[in-house]
Amino acid sequence: MKLLGYTLLSLVAVMWLIAMLAGLIAAFPYGLVGLLAIAGLGALSAHVIAERLRNKEDTHYDRTVHQ
């Protein structure tokens, strides 16, 4: 049930992002600002995820410290 919920939410998020990108492309000259903002957020998100995956100290604490 939990997996179904996450799958549906992910699907809706992807569809919403596609619709938003299509709208920004349709509003071409002014939509570039939105496209740049989305690209910036995507780059920052990728950086944060990569940093988290490379950090061995965080991984150690996730595995050994129980709350």
Side-chain angles (χ1 to χ4, degrees):
M1 201 58 141
K2 186 176 172 180
L3 179 62
L4 177 65
Y6 283 138
T7 303
L8 290 174
L9 283 176
S10 298
L11 183 64
V12 168
V14 168
M15 290 171 37
W16 181 62
L17 184 62
I18 290 171
M20 189 169 50
L21 289 173
L24 289 172
I25 291 170
F28 173 63
Y30 304 109
L32 289 178
V33 174
L35 288 174
L36 289 174
I38 291 172
L41 288 173
L44 287 175
S45 298
H47 175 73
V48 167
I49 291 170
E51 285 287 319
R52 172 60 186 93
L53 291 175
R54 278 188 257 137
N55 193 338
K56 293 182 182 185
E57 185 177 346
D58 284 347
T59 304
H60 169 72
Y61 284 116
D62 282 344
R63 291 183 184 158
T64 59
V65 176
H66 301 286
Q67 296 181 2

